[in-house]
Amino acid sequence: MVLPVNPMNLGRMEKRMALQQELMAAISHEIRTPVARLSFALQLLQDILEGDSVSEQQQRMKSSCKGMAQDLEEINDLVAEIMTYIHLEDGGPRIIFQKVDVNHILTNMCGQYAPQNPQLSIKVDPLLDGLIIDAEPVQLRRACQNLLGNACKYAQAKVSLGYHIEGDFCVLRIEDDGPGIPESDYGHVFAPFTRLDESRNRKTGGFGLGLSIVRRIAYWHGGRAIAGRSETLGGANMMIRVPVHQPKDTLPGPAMPDPADLSV
């Protein structure tokens, strides 16, 4: 049974969401200035404490400064994530679709993350040859990197990258052999600031915005993000389902000749 939606309630919800986004943007902007000042002061203090002869008290101060620097870096990362999310949520980026080689994106990411995670086996599954889709390459790569970064945090030993075709859609998938996601959480794992398991988040870090950004990027491609269970590895199977082809009027046309090259 489908219940009717009250237009007045819908308008209130939209206003409330807009106010929340404005508030998040304002807070994020205001945080940046004091964080920058603290970072500068902390760097000066660390420079003062550097030296050949360091007392026990200075050593403790240096250790505290290191922890403070990590905290400030985490705040900066959070602000950057919030601003990215707001940009994607509020009207979205200017999408210019291009011809993108899916194999190229996945193999490049595998080559980037494998050396950073030597304890893991990160491999690309055998792929279809020469699959070209219409996508915004920077945004699509970012979404895939967010999923791969999560997989590397939670995997025990193996991470697998691949894709398959479902009708007119390409489904990019990143699987791991970690603890996975409870089926009851599939529906809201992409919601902003979602914390499924507090112990996992303390261990792995993150702010709960990475998957929300993935969802919005998929949305602006006319697709969606999907969470599931990996049949082969037993952990999470995170997917981005996007159209293989975009409408022709959304693709860049041929370059216009320079006016200087036109004969009169």
Side-chain angles (χ1 to χ4, degrees):
M1 179 179 178
V2 178
L3 298 176
V5 178
N6 187 325
M8 292 183 63
N9 290 340
L10 186 59
R12 292 193 192 100
M13 290 173 60
E14 289 176 347
K15 289 180 180 178
R16 190 178 299 117
M17 291 178 63
L19 286 172
Q20 289 175 348
Q21 290 176 6
E22 289 177 9
L23 179 61
M24 281 203 303
I27 292 173
S28 300
H29 178 74
E30 293 300 324
I31 285 176
R32 282 181 165 174
T33 300
V35 165
R37 288 198 298 261
L38 285 170
S39 298
F40 179 71
L42 186 60
Q43 185 60 54
L44 289 178
L45 181 58
Q46 287 175 320
D47 292 342
I48 293 171
L49 292 174
E50 291 296 334
D52 296 331
S53 58
V54 179
S55 67
E56 183 178 345
Q57 182 179 7
Q58 287 176 319
Q59 190 62 44
R60 288 198 300 268
M61 291 178 66
K62 284 180 65 176
S63 178
S64 297
C65 286
K66 183 177 180 181
M68 291 167 61
Q70 291 173 346
D71 290 341
L72 287 171
E73 183 177 352
E74 187 172 329
I75 293 173
N76 275 322
D77 291 343
L78 172 59
V79 171
E81 289 256 293
I82 290 175
M83 297 305 292
T84 299
Y85 175 74
I86 291 172
H87 177 58
L88 290 168
E89 190 76 21
D90 185 20
R94 182 171 179 263
I95 295 289
I96 299 179
F97 295 113
Q98 303 176 32
K99 299 297 182 182
V100 175
D101 187 331
V102 178
N103 296 13
H104 184 71
I105 286 182
L106 296 183
T107 52
N108 274 7
M109 287 200 314
C110 183
Q112 175 187 353
Y113 278 77
Q116 298 174 8
N117 300 272
Q119 77 282 8
L120 299 176
S121 170
I122 305 176
K123 294 184 178 180
V124 179
D125 282 351
L127 304 175
L128 303 175
D129 291 333
L131 177 62
I132 305 296
I133 67 173
D134 298 333
E136 205 294 316
V138 174
Q139 297 292 347
L140 184 62
R141 182 185 300 275
R142 175 169 195 154
C144 292
Q145 285 176 334
N146 283 6
L147 295 184
L148 181 54
N150 270 7
C152 291
K153 291 176 184 177
Y154 298 142
Q156 296 180 8
K158 296 180 180 179
V159 176
S160 173
L161 292 75
Y163 71 88
H164 62 272
I165 298 297
E166 288 183 358
D168 295 330
F169 289 82
C170 170
V171 181
L172 295 93
R173 61 182 188 275
I174 297 178
E175 307 172 64
D176 64 68
D177 63 349
I181 299 170
E183 187 174 352
S184 59
D185 290 322
Y186 289 170
H188 61 267
V189 68
F190 294 99
F193 300 108
T194 296
R195 302 284 187 175
L196 297 182
D197 182 351
E198 290 301 324
S199 62
R200 275 167 52 114
N201 280 279
R202 289 193 196 103
K203 175 184 176 183
T204 58
F207 310 109
L209 281 173
L211 294 183
S212 300
I213 290 171
V214 171
R215 181 189 65 176
R216 297 309 296 176
I217 291 174
Y219 170 82
W220 289 112
H221 278 76
R224 63 192 183 105
I226 307 166
R229 179 181 177 275
S230 171
E231 297 295 333
T232 55
L233 299 182
N237 181 13
M238 308 301 289
M239 294 164 279
I240 304 173
R241 187 175 187 266
V242 294
V244 174
H245 300 294
Q246 297 289 342
K248 290 185 178 181
D249 57 357
T250 63
L251 299 174
M256 293 293 291
D258 189 285
D261 296 330
L262 298 175
S263 57
V264 179

